[in-house]
């Protein structure tokens, strides 16, 4: 643009905009924001803005700045409309009058385009900053939770459930919610137990378990106050079952560990006396193991079924072909994620400028053996605590009708297949975890093919419910 030959009306507007831009930059003191403005201003005025900036932080409100730039765009459009009205008001406009309108119109169009580009650049600055903040937020949050746990311990701060010694926590997998475990826990719970379901929207449901006329009855109690009035809460002779539904279906295991620790601490369960028995299905097993690595002094046992401790081929495919996995046909939610962002760039993905790490990126990039080996070398004390935990990795498998041919005979009938259609038995058994696994049971589960795989029926399988009962009884004793 020939900024040295502008119409006076446009020149005055730009001078006003430059003054307001300098005020914005003076307030923000962000070198990234200054860089964004200067990329545009060299095309507008032929020089950079004069505001000295000494900071690299982002203390500005992007919405407010974009609103200010929209005002600048309106200034230009108003100027264009005023020039057009003035030309129409002339009875016999001269060629110079017509040329002036054309110049104003052309200059306004170009400047509006520059300002729109500036808004897009500022959005990218905001996104880059947000990604950077999210990278560092997780360890800061974990540190604050650790401090809170330590404070409660030193000052003997008690929560509503601090007196419970035996606690079971149930964590679901990806593309799932707490419904599967909710059914299993109801079957496994005993007289005097309490069941708490923590939903993804942070609401809580409370249930008490009692025997009436020889039959197990599970009653919902409306609110914590009424729960405290119940015999089960006052006596505290039973077990506390917590069905934990993650805030995001596919959030990364570290995000679940951080969220769970914060909530359990609020409930008064992160203390020296309470022992937590973790139960995980599918990716919930990875989440449970992560929680145990983060808080080994509070976890007594881990029991998983169908957990892909190794990399998972379906997750790898879904993560790398998200357009297909998220299509109406597959109906996955591969970009559903929490605010957690892994430090390792290989463990991230990107969606319209937003970096994220979730369950899919995790199972694409890492087998759990990598974290275990890092833990063994960096923090052998925690690894030894994991070795002392009772860790059971159950595998679901299916049988199907097959025909076996050989040169000598043909056999048909039910044959065991080495997979539940989603996760191999080897991965479910946690063979990549070295010597951490104590028990590796196998349970036949119903299901068929990829559309209704055995994987989705594992938590409700009667053998696994029996395993929950056995673990809870054994660990309490």
């Amino acid at each position: 643009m020939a900024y040295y030959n502008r119409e006076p009306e446009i020149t005055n507007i730009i001078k006003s905009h430059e003054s307001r831009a300098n005020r914005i930059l003076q307030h923000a003191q962000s070198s990234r924001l200054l860089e964004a403005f200067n990329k545009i201003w060299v095309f507008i005025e032929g020089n950079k803005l004069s505001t000295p900036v000494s900071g690299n932080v982002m203390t500005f409100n992007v919405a407010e700045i974009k609103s200010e730039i929209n005002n600048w765009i309106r200034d230009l459009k108003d100027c264009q409309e005023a020039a057009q009205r003035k030309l129409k008001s002339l009875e016999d406009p001269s060629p110079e009058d017509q040329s002036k309108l054309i110049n104003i119109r052309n200059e306004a169009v170009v400047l509006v385009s520059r300002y729109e580009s500036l808004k897009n650049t500022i959005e990218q600055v905001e996104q880059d900053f947000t990604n950077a903040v999210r990278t560092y937020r997780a360890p800061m949050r974990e540190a604050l939770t650790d401090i809170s746990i330590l404070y409660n311990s030193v000052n003997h701060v008690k929560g509503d459930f601090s007196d419970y010694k035996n606690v079971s926590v149930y964590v679901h997998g990806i593309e799932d919610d707490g419904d599967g475990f909710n059914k299993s826990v109801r079957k496994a719970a005993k007289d005097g137990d309490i069941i708490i379901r923590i939903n993804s929207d942070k609401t809580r449901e409370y249930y008490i378990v009692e025997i009436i006329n020889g039959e197990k009855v599970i009653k919902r109690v409306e609110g914590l106050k009424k729960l405290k009035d119940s015999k089960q809460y006052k006596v505290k002779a039973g077990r506390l079952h917590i069905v934990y539904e993650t805030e995001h279906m596919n959030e990364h295991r570290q995000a679940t560990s951080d969220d769970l620790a914060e909530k359990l601490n609020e409930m008064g369960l992160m203390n020296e006396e309470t022992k937590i028995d973790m139960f995980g299905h599918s990716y919930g097993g990875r989440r449970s193991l992560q929680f145990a690595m983060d808080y080994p002094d509070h976890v007594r046992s881990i029991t998983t079924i169908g957990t892909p401790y190794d990399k998972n081929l379906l997750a790898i495919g879904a993560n790398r072909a998200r357009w297909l996995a998220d299509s109406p046909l597959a109906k996955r939610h591969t970009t559903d994620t929490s605010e957690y962002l892994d430090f390792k760039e290989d463990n991230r993905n990107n969606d319209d400028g937003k970096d994220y790490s979730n369950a899919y990126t995790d199972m694409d990039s890492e087998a759990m053996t990598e974290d275990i080996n890092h833990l063994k070398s960096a923090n052998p004390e925690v690894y030894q605590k994991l070795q002392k935990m009772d860790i059971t990795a159950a595998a679901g498998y299916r049988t199907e009708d097959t025909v076996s041919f050989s040169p000598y005979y043909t056999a048909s009938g039910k044959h065991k297949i080495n997979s539940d259609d989603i996760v191999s038995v080897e991965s479910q058994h946690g063979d990549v975890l070295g010597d951490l696994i104590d028990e590796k049971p196998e349970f036949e589960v119903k299901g068929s093919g990829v559309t209704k795989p055995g994987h989705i029926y594992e938590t409700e399988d009667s053998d696994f419910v029996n395993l929950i009962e056995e673990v809870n009884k054994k660990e309490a004793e």
Side-chain angles (χ1 to χ4, degrees):
M1 178 183 295
Y3 47 82
Y4 48 84
N5 195 28
R6 286 194 180 111
E7 298 296 335
E9 293 88 342
I10 295 292
T11 299
N12 291 334
I13 288 175
I14 290 177
K15 284 182 179 179
S16 171
H17 293 174
E18 182 171 347
S19 175
R20 286 144 77 179
N22 279 319
R23 283 200 298 270
I24 290 172
L25 294 168
Q26 181 67 36
H27 173 73
Q29 285 297 304
S30 168
S31 59
R32 284 294 307 277
L33 188 62
L34 175 62
E35 181 183 348
F37 270 85
N38 279 334
K39 280 184 178 179
I40 302 301
W41 230 258
V42 291
F43 289 105
I44 293 176
E45 283 288 83
N47 58 269
K48 295 181 178 181
L49 294 165
S50 58
T51 301
V53 171
S54 59
N56 292 310
V57 296
M58 181 172 138
T59 58
F60 56 88
N61 185 307
V62 170
E64 289 180 358
I65 295 177
K66 288 173 64 178
S67 177
E68 176 67 21
I69 296 173
N70 284 333
N71 290 336
W72 300 354
I73 291 173
R74 275 194 293 273
D75 290 343
L76 292 166
K77 291 182 177 179
D78 289 346
C79 178
Q80 183 180 344
E81 290 174 2
Q84 193 163 352
R85 286 195 301 271
K86 183 177 180 180
L87 184 65
K88 286 183 177 180
S89 69
L90 299 175
E91 292 184 4
D92 186 21
S94 66
E96 289 78 11
D97 293 327
Q98 294 176 344
S99 177
K100 183 180 183 69
L101 173 62
I102 293 171
N103 289 340
I104 289 176
R105 181 187 299 152
N106 291 341
E107 290 169 349
V109 167
V110 173
L111 287 168
V112 166
S113 174
R114 298 294 187 196
Y115 287 157
E116 292 290 354
S117 177
L118 176 58
K119 287 196 298 181
N120 293 334
T121 303
I122 292 172
E123 284 182 353
Q124 186 58 55
V125 171
E126 180 190 32
Q127 190 63 69
D128 291 346
F129 179 82
T130 301
N131 286 333
V133 168
R134 288 170 58 243
T135 305
Y136 293 95
R137 182 179 294 154
M140 288 177 64
R141 182 183 175 194
E142 187 175 357
L144 289 172
T145 300
D146 290 343
I147 291 171
S148 179
I149 292 171
L150 179 61
Y151 175 87
N152 290 354
S153 176
V154 171
N155 294 279
H156 306 290
V157 177
K158 297 188 70 174
D160 295 320
F161 299 93
S162 295
D163 293 329
Y164 272 89
K165 302 297 182 287
N166 299 302
V167 178
S168 295
V169 177
Y170 306 83
V171 188
H172 63 81
I174 64 174
E175 304 290 354
D176 202 356
D177 55 28
D179 286 344
F181 266 128
N182 198 45
K183 297 174 183 176
S184 306
V185 173
R186 287 168 171 264
K187 294 177 183 177
K190 305 299 181 185
D191 183 30
D193 288 358
I194 290 177
I195 302 172
I196 301 176
R197 176 163 178 171
I198 302 177
N199 297 307
S200 59
D201 61 1
K202 300 183 182 181
T203 59
R204 298 183 184 183
E205 301 170 20
Y206 302 97
Y207 301 87
I208 56 175
V209 185
E210 57 186 342
I211 302 297
I212 300 178
N213 298 326
E215 295 289 332
K216 181 168 67 175
V217 177
I218 299 176
K219 294 182 179 178
R220 180 166 182 174
V221 179
E222 294 300 330
L224 180 60
K225 186 177 184 298
K226 288 191 176 181
L227 177 67
K228 288 183 176 181
D229 292 334
S230 69
K231 179 181 67 175
Q232 287 80 357
Y233 182 88
K234 291 177 179 177
V235 175
K236 294 181 176 64
R239 176 176 284 268
L240 181 64
H241 303 267
I242 299 175
V243 180
Y244 181 69
E245 186 173 341
T246 60
E247 293 183 16
H248 301 266
M249 289 187 302
N250 302 332
E251 67 184 22
H252 191 281
R253 54 188 156 94
Q254 185 63 65
T256 300
S257 177
D258 295 342
D259 289 344
L260 184 56
E262 185 177 309
K263 289 178 175 61
L264 293 180
N265 188 47
E266 290 172 358
M267 298 170 73
L269 295 171
M270 301 294 279
N271 59 65
E272 294 179 0
E273 287 76 29
T274 298
K275 298 303 175 187
I276 299 172
D277 300 304
M278 303 289 300
F279 294 87
H281 172 236
S282 190
Y283 190 77
R286 280 187 173 228
R287 289 166 168 160
S288 298
L289 182 56
Q290 183 67 55
F291 182 82
M293 288 191 290
D294 292 340
Y295 303 96
D297 293 326
H298 301 279
V299 177
R300 179 168 54 192
S301 70
I302 306 172
T303 304
T304 66
I305 187 166
T307 291
Y309 285 108
D310 205 346
K311 293 182 181 182
N312 184 264
L313 291 177
L314 284 177
I316 292 172
N319 189 48
R320 299 183 184 182
R322 287 171 287 146
W323 61 272
L324 178 60
D326 294 337
S327 67
L329 181 64
K331 297 180 181 179
R332 300 293 90 187
H333 302 87
T334 59
T335 59
D336 175 78
T337 182
S338 62
E339 283 296 291
Y340 177 78
L341 187 59
D342 202 305
F343 269 96
K344 301 177 184 176
E345 292 191 4
D346 291 343
N347 296 358
R348 304 179 190 175
N349 218 325
N350 188 279
D351 182 40
D352 292 332
K354 178 185 177 183
D355 288 339
Y356 68 91
S357 300
N358 66 1
Y360 283 104
T361 62
D362 183 37
M363 287 193 291
D364 184 346
S365 62
E366 280 191 343
M368 287 298 287
T369 182
E370 295 181 37
D371 278 359
I372 294 300
N373 287 336
H374 293 157
L375 181 69
K376 189 187 295 187
S377 58
N379 201 331
E381 183 179 348
V382 172
Y383 181 78
Q384 290 170 5
K385 291 178 180 179
L386 290 178
Q387 285 183 304
K388 293 177 182 178
M389 290 179 198
D390 291 331
I391 303 182
T392 299
Y397 71 89
R398 291 195 309 104
T399 59
E400 61 181 16
D401 289 314
T402 58
V403 178
S404 175
F405 297 97
S406 79
Y408 308 103
Y409 66 90
T410 299
S412 62
K414 292 284 186 181
H415 294 273
K416 176 180 176 181
I417 61 173
N418 192 36
S419 171
D420 68 356
D421 303 305
I422 297 292
V423 184
S424 70
V425 169
E426 180 182 1
S427 184
Q428 293 180 73
H429 276 165
D431 289 350
V432 298
L433 300 182
D435 60 353
L436 291 182
I437 308 299
D438 301 300
E439 301 289 340
K440 299 181 179 183
E442 294 185 16
F443 305 130
E444 182 179 358
V445 293
K446 64 181 181 180
S448 60
V450 178
T451 55
K452 291 186 178 180
H455 193 77
I456 64 177
Y457 300 105
E458 287 172 333
T459 54
E460 65 185 59
D461 185 81
S462 60
D463 288 327
F464 184 62
V465 174
N466 291 338
L467 178 61
I468 294 175
E469 293 176 310
E470 292 169 9
V471 169
N472 284 336
K473 184 174 184 295
K474 171 189 171 186
E475 298 301 336
E477 291 175 347

